[in-house]
Amino acid sequence: MAVPAFRRLWLAGLVSDTGDWLMFIALPLVVLQLTGSAFGTSFAFLLELAPPVLLAPIVARVTDRLSHRLVMVVAMIGQALTLLPLLLVHTWSDLPIVYGVIVAQASFGAFFLPAKNALLPTLVGLERANSANALVGLNNDLGRIVGGPLGGVLLAVGSIGTVALIDMCSYVVAAALVLSLPRERRADPSRRASEQPGRPRTSGVLHALADRTTRHLILVNTVASVAQGLFLVLFVFFVTDVIRGDAADVGLLRGVQAIGAIGAGLALGVLGARIDALRLALVGASAFTVITVLCWNASFVTHAVPLYALLFATIGVPAVFMGAGLTSLLQQATHGARRGSAFAALGLGQAVGQALGITIAGLLQEPLGTMPLLEVQAGTYALTGVLAFVLLARRPRGASGRAPRPDPAPGSLG
């Protein structure tokens, strides 16, 4: 937070994430209202995962060749403009408009996240990446607490158009803050490659996946994303069918997850620079597995909602540790000229993993039941931890066994 450019980026993220949670809550509710079908809502989630997969090669090229700051601004303005059609949504016949907006939003978002993650180390330096990634991740949980309930209220007292207008304003404010960041001084990628004998002169998703360290990090994150996709579908069934909770309990247990995440984000914001990113990721993956197993299997003993509120609040801590650790490791493993490709590949793997988990849960929940699939979900997180220890713990320090080339000095954007 001592770096002015990072403070502006952090504030832009907070404003944007709050607006995102407005829409994240409102859009599925609108789809459910218009279709009266859980399948329609699941289809909306799957549509959101398609652009990061289909656009990954383009995202990699764009984020490696253009200013990350410019890519972020264009993406946010694009997201703001694509919300305008929601002003026309009133009846079920307008459902294609809603689906079109979901795809357009996810398409621009596919460019935004890799550009942001690639830009971050140039603002604060790799030695502070843990702290910076944790603080940026904190925005999502703060945005959930503010934007989530507000989105539901605005939809109840107004319309999806009201929510869209407010979300548009959040994008414009965030884009203005990012636009105020110093200009990047980016060297030509081909010239950088020529300065490093033996290194490929190409960029892109396939080039990122060809690097062993990057590929291992993406594989670990993809397996974790399968578990997350299973959770998205099975969570409501666990609360309502397994522990016999009601709609209020669903909201409570979904919301308290932000408590531990916020605490962990603040702690890492202060102490993250002193903690090795690899150790952070391994501890996070291990603790996440243990708490997940406890959470699901406690249902065989008790259905007391306060216990599950405590467990769901606690699980936010290792989630932040694992996320910040893996992001920092990927930033360290790639140079700035190729970092956009690496995070485009990460987004591709994450989307594929979540889509796989959502599809498995949607197809098998009824014939197999909720608890067997939740045990599979816990086992998937256990596999994530095993892969992290086997693939990441043995890696040499630096990218792909090489000492990482330093990024520009913090705040210089060189």
Side-chain angles (χ1 to χ4, degrees):
M1 285 295 185
V3 180
F6 175 76
R7 288 200 301 270
R8 293 199 291 274
L9 180 66
W10 183 85
L11 183 58
L14 178 60
V15 172
S16 178
D17 284 348
T18 301
D20 286 346
W21 272 96
L22 290 174
M23 198 56 62
F24 182 79
I25 296 298
L27 271 182
L29 289 174
V30 168
V31 172
L32 187 59
Q33 290 171 1
L34 295 179
T35 64
S37 165
F39 173 78
T41 305
S42 299
F43 181 64
F45 280 119
L46 289 174
L47 278 178
E48 192 174 9
L49 296 174
V53 175
L54 300 177
L55 296 176
I58 300 174
V59 171
R61 299 286 179 174
V62 169
T63 52
D64 276 349
R65 283 162 171 71
L66 299 180
S67 159
H68 299 136
R69 167 179 164 271
L70 175 63
V71 172
M72 292 171 66
V73 169
V74 171
M76 285 188 286
I77 295 300
Q79 285 179 304
L81 293 176
T82 55
L83 289 173
L84 282 172
L86 290 179
L87 299 177
L88 305 175
V89 173
H90 301 288
T91 66
W92 68 269
S93 62
D94 300 321
L95 189 60
I97 296 177
V98 178
Y99 286 146
V101 169
I102 291 173
V103 172
Q105 287 280 299
S107 298
F108 283 108
F111 288 88
F112 178 83
L113 287 176
K116 181 186 72 174
N117 286 327
L119 174 68
L120 195 60
T122 68
L123 299 180
V124 299
L126 285 173
E127 71 279 0
R128 294 186 231 173
N130 285 342
S131 294
N133 288 318
L135 288 170
V136 169
L138 180 65
N139 289 336
N140 183 62
D141 298 291
L142 294 174
R144 176 192 298 185
I145 289 176
V146 177
L150 185 58
V153 171
L154 289 173
L155 187 62
V157 301
S159 66
I160 187 62
T162 304
V163 179
L165 288 173
I166 295 177
D167 195 15
M168 288 174 62
C169 292
S170 76
Y171 280 127
V172 172
V173 171
L177 287 167
V178 173
L179 192 61
S180 72
L181 298 177
R183 291 181 180 273
E184 298 168 77
R185 299 189 299 276
R186 296 173 60 83
D188 180 67
S190 62
R191 183 169 65 84
R192 280 183 176 167
S194 67
E195 295 171 353
Q196 303 173 68
R199 291 194 65 181
R201 292 171 179 259
T202 58
S203 63
V205 170
L206 293 180
H207 172 68
L209 293 174
D211 181 273
R212 185 177 65 176
T213 302
T214 302
R215 184 170 65 250
H216 288 171
L217 286 163
I218 291 171
L219 176 60
V220 170
N221 190 72
T222 299
V223 175
S225 298
V226 175
Q228 177 64 16
L230 289 165
F231 172 82
L232 289 174
V233 176
L234 299 174
F235 169 73
V236 174
F237 292 102
F238 173 75
V239 177
T240 57
D241 296 348
V242 177
I243 65 172
R244 300 291 188 266
D246 55 21
D249 294 326
V250 172
L252 170 67
L253 296 180
R254 196 73 170 96
V256 296
Q257 295 174 49
I259 296 175
I262 289 173
L266 291 173
L268 281 184
V270 176
L271 304 173
R274 306 176 190 177
I275 303 174
D276 178 70
L278 176 59
R279 184 175 296 117
L280 193 65
L282 294 178
V283 169
S286 302
F288 206 113
T289 300
V290 171
I291 298 174
T292 300
V293 170
L294 286 175
C295 188
W296 304 146
N297 290 282
S299 63
F300 294 113
V301 179
T302 178
H303 293 169
V305 172
L307 172 64
Y308 295 99
L310 176 63
L311 289 171
F312 276 105
T314 303
I315 207 169
V317 176
V320 169
F321 286 1
M322 184 168 63
L326 290 176
T327 301
S328 297
L329 285 172
L330 190 55
Q331 289 166 339
Q332 293 169 10
T334 52
H335 186 269
R338 300 289 180 261
R339 205 169 276 143
S341 292
F343 279 100
L346 184 77
L348 186 156
Q350 184 168 311
V352 169
Q354 284 196 9
L356 182 59
I358 289 172
T359 303
I360 291 173
L363 293 176
L364 299 182
Q365 188 277 329
E366 186 172 342
L368 295 185
T370 299
M371 281 306 300
L373 286 176
L374 286 175
E375 301 294 358
V376 171
Q377 193 258 3
T380 307
Y381 272 127
L383 177 60
T384 301
V386 170
L387 288 173
F389 274 96
V390 172
L391 300 179
L392 306 183
R394 297 179 181 177
R395 72 181 182 91
R397 296 188 65 83
S400 302
R402 299 181 299 270
R405 293 185 62 199
D407 278 319
S412 71
L413 296 183

